Amino acid sequence: LAKTTQPISMDSYEGQEVNITCSHNNIATNDYITWYQQFPSQGPRFIIQGYKTKVTNEVASLFIPADRKSSTLSLPRVSLSDTAVYYCLVGGVRWTNAGKSTFGDGTTLTVKP
Amino acid sequence: GAVVSQHPSRVICKSGTSVKIECRSLDFQATTMFWYRQFPKKSLMLMATSNEGSKATYEQGVEKDKFLINHASLTLSTLTVTSAHPEDSSFYICSARDSQSYNEQFFGPGTRLTVL
């Protein structure tokens, strides 16, 4: 299983763009990269998923370089409600036991007014 | 997106009793579900992988006789904490993988277990 490394915490201010980078040096050919957001006492919520290059949806962008050994979650114009823990997961396409993913330590993002 | 529910959302029990937690995929079929536990300010720890119609696969260090998992249908998996002790108090989260879409994993809202 690919191990992921993220910064433990980040601070930002309302209205700023926040970029959280995740390292996954051992990513396998079939692995996708998925980011989740978690608020206290809630289950993780899907944010975005990608395989390579750039993916954008209504809430975030995901940048993945050609070597795929890292990825960057970009949150545009954060608000106080974006304060949460963000997890980067790397996992296989076929979700057999061998394809399961493991949560890393996550990044605690604190957005200040 | 697809919805996964958990019941109960919160449970308090006495030491020595058993507690059952249900995980349901509401609008999709899930041949595979995962069970996690999470301690305060810690990351999610995968406990086991639950496959419909077969035995669950447990992660190293997780006692299969203590954490009984049953995945009897494509929309329901249950986790039973047997003979619960205070150290079993934790936040238990399930997730389900859509059988038609292997890439995405949908998480339940979690169950807070407190063992007195």
Side-chain angles (χ1 to χ4, degrees), chain B residues 3 32 41-44 49 51 54-55 80 84 90 94 96:
Chain B
V3 177
T32 302
K41 298 190 183 301
K42 298 294 185 181
S43 183
L44 284 75
T49 302
N51 296 299
S54 64
K55 291 183 178 180
T80 301
S90 188
C94 74

Side-chain angles (χ1 to χ4, degrees), chain B residues 7-24:
Chain B
H7 178 79
S9 58
R10 189 180 295 268
V11 58
I12 300 173
C13 69
K14 293 182 178 180
S15 185
T17 60
S18 295
V19 174
K20 180 185 286 188
I21 302 170
E22 293 184 348
C23 176
R24 293 182 184 274

